[in-house]
Amino acid sequence: MSDTIRLEKKVLSRNDMLAAELRELFREKGVAVMNMVSSPGSGKTSLLEKTLGSLSETLSIGVIEGDIQTENDALRIAATGVPVHQIQTGGACHLEAEMIRRALDHFSLEDLDLLIIENVGNLVCPSAFDLGEGIRVSVISVTEGDDKPLKYPSMFHSADVMVVNKMDLLPYTDFSVEKAVAGARSLNPGIRILETSCRTGEGLDSWSEFVKEFTRKQVSGV
């Protein structure tokens, strides 16, 4: 076994241990945690803004933003009035459980129903790092290739939900929703599929209801 493989296994093993501790902490505090992943430009932050606009009056929500360098997304979330903390990874292409543990110092978990983690825009590295979340949501858009699930199998194999976003642009692309869904389900037959457009509002009610129901089940321990 090479030194590189040994180091990767050690890093992932420590991350998994921390993630398990975080998951138990979230369970004790009654906080639902969602990890949102995507490639850059999928509209993930816009979907998050719409989610907060729809649910922040009925749920107590906090957001952790992951970005390689800027605070742009955190500033957008802060404008909604929802508590947010920015993690700048300084070049790393993913968030790790230790980063989440440190970020929790900026929240009062007792006061939260839902913590949403917007991961760094990348469909490779984040798939290997458990953050202690209760659910992992992978967002793709119709302006990307419909073969994304098959090109990034680890991400879609580990995701609980795939959101197909920017549906308003579908008539102007060659994207096949059927092909993307078939690809995702060939890797993960149980993955839930939702279609949304932040511009027209298509599918946002169903998405918000899904998030609300997920939170209710996690908070109540059902």
Side-chain angles (χ1 to χ4, degrees):
M1 185 183 297
S2 73
D3 289 345
T4 301
I5 293 175
R6 284 195 189 94
L7 180 59
E8 286 178 354
K9 283 193 171 182
K10 188 174 178 182
V11 169
L12 289 173
S13 175
R14 172 170 166 69
N15 185 83
D16 287 347
M17 218 164 37
L18 281 173
E21 292 174 7
L22 287 174
R23 187 168 286 110
E24 179 59 20
L25 175 65
F26 295 141
R27 189 192 65 76
E28 289 175 2
K29 300 293 184 184
V31 181
V33 181
M34 175 184 296
N35 180 10
M36 297 181 70
V37 296
S38 77
S39 56
S42 68
K44 180 161 44 77
T45 307
S46 294
L47 181 60
L48 182 49
E49 288 175 309
K50 293 291 185 183
T51 307
L52 299 177
S54 170
L55 298 179
S56 61
E57 290 190 2
T58 54
L59 296 176
S60 178
I61 305 175
V63 175
I64 295 175
E65 281 288 343
D67 202 305
I68 290 176
Q69 193 64 43
T70 76
E71 295 187 352
N72 294 348
D73 292 344
L75 292 173
R76 289 173 60 180
I77 298 305
T80 70
V82 169
V84 58
H85 177 69
Q86 176 74 57
I87 299 174
Q88 290 179 331
T89 64
C93 57
H94 59 275
L95 295 176
E96 299 182 12
E98 175 60 27
M99 298 174 185
I100 301 302
R101 187 185 66 77
R102 291 198 297 265
L104 295 183
D105 291 342
H106 299 270
F107 298 91
S108 172
L109 289 182
E110 288 80 3
D111 297 331
L112 290 183
D113 299 311
L114 172 64
L115 178 65
I116 301 177
I117 303 167
E118 183 176 359
N119 216 314
V120 176
N122 188 313
L123 284 177
V124 181
C125 305
S127 68
F129 287 85
D130 184 357
L131 303 181
E133 70 266 28
I135 198 168
R136 182 175 291 183
V137 177
S138 181
V139 182
I140 64 172
S141 73
V142 302
T143 54
E144 306 171 54
D146 49 26
D147 58 351
K148 274 284 172 70
L150 296 180
K151 290 179 75 172
Y152 302 94
S154 180
M155 180 57 74
F156 291 88
H157 179 72
S158 65
D160 301 284
V161 180
M162 179 174 80
V163 176
V164 183
N165 197 22
K166 301 187 182 180
M167 285 296 291
D168 54 295
L169 297 178
L170 186 62
Y172 311 104
T173 72
D174 295 326
F175 188 95
S176 166
V177 175
E178 292 75 15
K179 185 176 175 182
V181 170
R185 288 201 164 134
S186 72
L187 300 163
N188 182 355
I191 193 168
R192 181 162 183 163
I193 311 292
L194 292 167
E195 300 172 7
T196 58
S197 165
C198 295
R199 185 174 295 274
T200 66
E202 176 184 350
L204 292 181
D205 287 346
S206 297
W207 162 250
S208 293
E209 281 302 313
F210 169 78
V211 175
K212 196 188 305 181
E213 182 63 9
F214 159 70
T215 304
R216 187 191 67 77
K217 287 181 177 177
Q218 291 282 298
V219 169
S220 64
V222 175

